[in-house]
Amino acid sequence: MSQLIIRGGRRLEGEVGIQGAKNSILPILAAALVTADQIELRGCPRLRDVDASVRILQGLGCTACWEKNTLLVDTREISGCAVSDRLCREMRSSAIFLGAILARCGQAELSYPGGCELGPRPIDLHLSGLRDLGAEVDDTGGVLHCSAPRIEGREIVLSLPSVGATENLMLAACGAAGITTIANAAREPEIVDLQNFLTACGARVFGAGTSTISIEGRRPLHGCTYTVMPDRIAAATYLCAAASAGGTVFLRGGREEYLSTVTAVLREAGCSILSDGNGIACCCKGRLSAVRPVRTAPYPGFPTDAQAILMAAFLKNRGATVFEENMFENRYRHVDELTRMGADIRVSGRTAVVCGVKSLHGAPVCCTDLRGGAALCVAALAAEGETAVREICHIDRGYEDIARDLRFLGADIVRTES
């Protein structure tokens, strides 16, 4: 079993490159099915979730292979339309294959997806949108059976700006006759990246980044070479690591426009942050100051994926900082582990109050989910002594090599096998 051993108390100094975005590459891999061609994906991060997506593609009859940090995918010889229960359980994003397989094959079969246990994350919006396009969906028995010999474009109004539903409907709409309009669509940068990929393949998709997206379906698509956008949550993690441990770091390839709500909070807390076309520089001296309440919200609001990570950076802040989680019910599962290190966090429903302490101490802790695991690493950098972070399979779902990257920034961290 793998674990991370972190010896805290060292200021960070150094430079690291930002990996390709996890939340971008997964829908792009699903979108490759719609092209029925060869795709070259540059800057693709090597993650557990990417490996799971590749196995899904291979299970459908496609091929995929790595050439350094480039993933070559060939979806021309698809031979099936069903994804196994085992693969669906590995990651929440397996649901994104539903729309793509339906657009390609006219039918699809998936089990309900797995992933981090962050509370109820129903895919009702995905299914109702597919039904609006003309698909017949049978979701009894824990397996989704979808069939649509012909789907028709139309206007779909989402009751919530769901990222997954927006992406699924974009992919399904590529196979629909006519024009599909998605109203109240999610506006995340990863949605824009998916649009850019589809456009590079010959699709006509407009409006990503706004609340209304239009897709002209039934166009002949082709392969392309595409570079995945940088991961804004990985960048937020390393900014918070510098804020936690102190020091000066440079994130090569980081783009502040993708995480401006995070940098705004860090600036308010006393960090100096500068950015240009090459990346983001962050300098943090001394303890952070308490800030106004941090409330998670759909983009362009504060990202829920950065909530635990930012909280870890504020464990030694001067005063008290309030966090309000509005996206997922179980997004405070990391709190109990942080208290093992001496943190003072008081949780009531969706609100957590972080009362700053003068010092933290190392302790054995366990990852509860992907971002909660990253938060434990951020906290350990500011703790006295040694912290053993266990169950890091969660971290591997979203970070290519967090130990390597933090070492580039000067941290004392090693990955060990026990």
Side-chain angles (χ1 to χ4, degrees):
M1 184 178 295
S2 301
Q3 64 178 358
L4 296 173
I5 303 299
I6 303 171
R7 297 174 180 85
R10 297 179 55 168
R11 291 175 61 82
L12 300 186
E13 303 285 342
E15 175 180 326
V16 69
I18 299 301
Q19 67 183 49
K22 165 190 178 287
N23 291 335
S24 187
I25 187 60
L26 301 183
I28 285 175
L29 284 171
L33 287 170
V34 184
T35 70
D37 204 347
Q38 295 175 301
I39 305 294
E40 181 177 325
L41 297 171
R42 296 180 177 176
C44 183
R46 293 203 170 199
L47 311 171
R48 284 189 64 202
D49 277 7
V50 170
D51 289 340
S53 293
V54 166
R55 289 195 295 275
I56 288 174
L57 290 172
Q58 292 170 336
L60 295 171
C62 308
T63 62
C65 64
W66 289 93
E67 289 186 1
K68 296 184 178 180
N69 69 334
T70 295
L71 182 60
L72 306 177
V73 179
D74 189 336
T75 64
R76 289 175 294 183
E77 302 298 326
I78 190 170
S79 59
C81 60
V83 180
S84 72
D85 176 74
R86 177 180 58 83
L87 291 175
C88 285
R89 289 180 181 274
E90 286 192 26
M91 64 172 188
R92 183 69 187 179
S93 297
S94 60
I96 195 62
F97 282 89
L98 192 59
I101 298 174
L102 194 64
R104 176 76 180 273
C105 303
Q107 58 183 332
E109 180 180 307
L110 283 81
S111 297
Y112 271 90
C116 291
E117 298 177 7
L118 303 176
R121 293 192 286 176
I123 60 172
D124 295 355
L125 291 179
H126 304 232
L127 302 184
S128 63
L130 293 176
R131 288 188 176 106
D132 287 342
L133 291 175
E136 295 181 1
V137 182
D138 179 359
D139 57 355
T140 58
V143 178
L144 301 170
H145 299 275
C146 300
S147 62
R150 179 177 175 83
I151 51 181
E152 300 283 346
R154 58 161 294 174
E155 181 180 16
I156 300 172
V157 181
L158 297 178
S159 59
L160 297 171
S162 162
V163 174
T166 300
E167 293 168 339
N168 233 334
L169 295 175
M170 288 172 67
L171 298 185
C174 286
I179 296 176
T180 299
T181 301
I182 306 171
N184 197 27
R187 299 163 58 187
E188 273 72 2
E190 293 81 9
I191 303 287
V192 178
D193 210 32
L194 177 59
Q195 172 180 281
N196 291 342
F197 170 77
L198 290 170
T199 300
C201 295
R204 290 180 61 82
V205 185
F206 306 95
T210 74
S211 58
T212 302
I213 301 175
S214 297
I215 306 99
E216 182 181 323
R218 292 288 175 90
R219 290 182 58 82
L221 302 184
H222 52 75
C224 72
T225 297
Y226 191 78
T227 301
V228 182
M229 65 173 277
D231 195 307
R232 60 191 173 107
I233 305 302
T237 301
Y238 301 139
L239 290 174
C240 288
S244 179
T248 301
V249 302
F250 181 72
L251 310 183
R252 189 175 62 256
R255 297 177 62 176
E256 188 180 1
E257 63 265 32
Y258 294 158
L259 62 156
S260 58
T261 51
V262 177
T263 56
V265 174
L266 292 175
R267 285 193 178 97
E268 184 182 349
C271 299
S272 174
I273 298 176
L274 299 173
S275 64
D276 57 24
N278 297 315
I280 307 172
C282 177
C283 178
C284 300
K285 300 177 181 179
R287 293 171 64 185
L288 301 183
S289 300
V291 298
R292 290 168 291 182
V294 177
R295 298 182 173 92
T296 64
Y299 191 87
F302 190 92
T304 182
D305 279 354
Q307 174 259 110
I309 300 162
L310 184 73
M311 180 184 291
F314 274 78
L315 299 181
K316 294 167 64 176
N317 77 120
R318 298 181 184 275
T321 296
V322 176
F323 289 79
E324 184 178 305
E325 175 55 55
N326 298 307
M327 303 299 290
F328 295 117
E329 289 184 7
N330 295 338
R331 205 94 209 218
Y332 290 138
R333 298 176 67 213
H334 57 283
V335 168
D336 287 345
E337 300 303 306
L338 292 176
T339 58
R340 291 175 178 268
M341 303 170 68
D344 183 355
I345 307 172
R346 305 164 193 182
V347 176
S348 177
R350 292 184 176 271
T351 301
V353 180
V354 179
C355 300
V357 296
K358 290 186 177 180
S359 63
L360 299 169
H361 53 78
V365 292
C366 290
C367 300
T368 56
D369 56 80
L370 167 55
R371 305 307 175 183
L376 297 180
C377 296
V378 168
L381 296 173
E384 299 173 1
E386 182 177 286
T387 298
V389 182
R390 298 165 181 166
E391 302 292 337
I392 61 173
C393 56
H394 293 290
I395 296 177
D396 292 340
R397 288 187 48 240
Y399 296 86
E400 194 170 65
D401 191 339
I402 197 170
R404 175 202 64 196
D405 290 350
L406 288 174
R407 279 197 301 272
F408 280 143
L409 299 177
D412 186 346
I413 175 174
V414 294
R415 181 176 182 134
T416 65
E417 306 294 331
S418 60

